[in-house]
Amino acid sequence: MFFVSEAPAAEPQKVVLFVRELRSESGEILPLRDNVRAVLTYFERQLHIQFEIHRYPLPRILAYAKNGEGIVFGLSKNRERLSQLVFSEAVYANTVWMIARSDNTFKFDSIADLKGRTIGIVRGASYGDDFDKQSNVLFKVEDDVSSNSSRLKKLLNKRMDVMLLSTSFTQAVDVENYLRQGFRVEGQTDEQNMQSGFVVLNKPLMSDDLHFATAPGAGEVWINKLNQAIISGKKSGEIARLINTMNK
């Protein structure tokens, strides 16, 4: 059900929106980042709607979307998803960074440089058809929960060689600071690991365009409306401003 309830003409209509959850190491769902919340508020204002946001793991929200139960926000494209879902224009792009242990860094130029390594990803995530095709072929994939601090601990404990992190940060130093801050919030006390145990490789894996998506059919009318707001927001610079100025 895309509409949660019928509302009087003057009131915004409610639309079901699925957004991937991110959890703390204790299992609590972390709030949406300020810039993501600001972008969603932009669409609510432009389309006179109110999103009813549901946070679940990525595989679950993909299943809901494919069943026509709502719209997904923040989804990247790959061949399989394009065969099952209708995508909006790209809203913005995240950068997919690679985090390695300080004693196990390497130069990255292409996917071939990941040969023989264990790469930690969030379960259900896709990083493009080339990466997906080489998963558990050229390199091993470690599917994991969405807790960044938990994943970082696994990296430091040598249970993976590289941790992938998709974020709107565009500089490696900002990613490092973000991870260290999260480590402290989670109550970690190993200051040496926080300061020198890991490093963000200077060259990211990819730039990942993120979209709204839904099943073919009735929900496509919302993709069309969202596309108008996306095009307008990009032309005015409003979406980029929200992403960049609220990237905290």
Side-chain angles (χ1 to χ4, degrees):
M1 293 290 293
F2 283 91
F3 295 108
V4 175
S5 63
E6 293 295 331
E11 296 182 12
Q13 286 185 297
K14 295 182 180 180
V15 178
V16 173
L17 187 73
F18 299 111
V19 183
R20 194 192 83 184
E21 66 181 31
L22 182 64
R23 290 184 179 269
S24 68
E25 193 171 3
S26 62
E28 296 180 353
I29 296 179
L30 299 175
L32 291 174
R33 293 179 63 82
D34 289 343
N35 53 3
V36 172
R37 180 65 265 184
V39 167
L40 294 180
T41 298
Y42 162 81
F43 288 109
E44 289 177 321
R45 185 174 64 250
Q46 290 293 310
L47 300 180
H48 194 59
I49 60 176
Q50 180 181 348
F51 288 126
E52 181 175 287
I53 298 174
H54 299 269
R55 309 283 304 281
Y56 301 114
L58 184 56
R60 188 172 174 185
I61 65 174
L62 281 170
Y64 285 145
K66 292 171 184 177
N67 287 336
E69 297 181 44
I71 300 171
V72 174
F73 174 71
L75 196 64
S76 55
K77 292 180 178 179
N78 63 21
R79 187 175 294 108
E80 179 183 0
R81 292 173 183 175
L82 283 167
S83 70
Q84 299 172 318
L85 298 169
V86 177
F87 283 77
S88 73
E89 297 285 328
V91 183
Y92 62 90
N94 268 355
T95 302
V96 180
W97 293 96
M98 293 179 288
I99 298 93
R101 291 189 309 280
S102 298
D103 63 357
N104 191 34
T105 61
F106 60 97
K107 183 180 179 182
F108 176 79
D109 289 315
S110 70
I111 288 180
D113 296 317
L114 301 180
K115 182 177 180 179
R117 303 182 190 275
T118 299
I119 314 299
I121 70 171
V122 174
R123 187 172 292 108
S126 171
Y127 301 98
D129 290 323
D130 290 342
F131 182 94
D132 295 348
K133 183 178 179 180
Q134 295 298 335
S135 295
N136 295 316
V137 178
L138 181 69
F139 49 83
K140 181 181 177 182
V141 164
E142 176 79 10
D143 287 313
D144 214 338
V145 296
S146 61
S147 167
N148 288 333
S149 58
S150 176
R151 298 171 65 219
L152 188 58
K153 284 178 66 177
K154 290 180 70 172
L155 174 72
L156 295 174
N157 289 330
K158 300 184 179 182
R159 295 175 61 186
M160 64 178 77
D161 300 307
V162 179
M163 167 184 160
L164 297 188
L165 180 67
S166 179
T167 174
S168 53
F169 290 119
T170 58
Q171 300 296 322
V173 64
D174 292 328
V175 181
E176 289 186 9
N177 290 335
Y178 166 70
L179 288 172
R180 291 189 177 109
Q181 180 184 16
F183 227 41
R184 291 187 176 95
V185 169
E186 289 293 322
Q188 307 300 325
T189 57
D190 191 339
E191 189 70 21
Q192 183 176 356
N193 269 337
M194 282 192 286
Q195 294 300 328
S196 60
F198 67 90
V199 63
V200 180
L201 302 188
N202 287 326
K203 182 176 180 178
L205 176 69
M206 63 182 293
S207 177
D208 189 20
D209 286 337
L210 301 178
H211 311 255
F212 290 96
T214 190
E220 291 183 62
V221 65
W222 284 106
I223 296 298
N224 294 332
K225 291 180 178 181
L226 287 162
N227 278 339
Q228 295 176 26
I230 293 168
I231 293 169
S232 175
K234 285 186 172 181
K235 185 176 181 179
S236 69
E238 180 68 3
I239 292 177
R241 184 189 69 80
L242 292 170
I243 289 295
N244 294 329
T245 61
M246 301 191 72
N247 195 359
K248 300 177 181 179

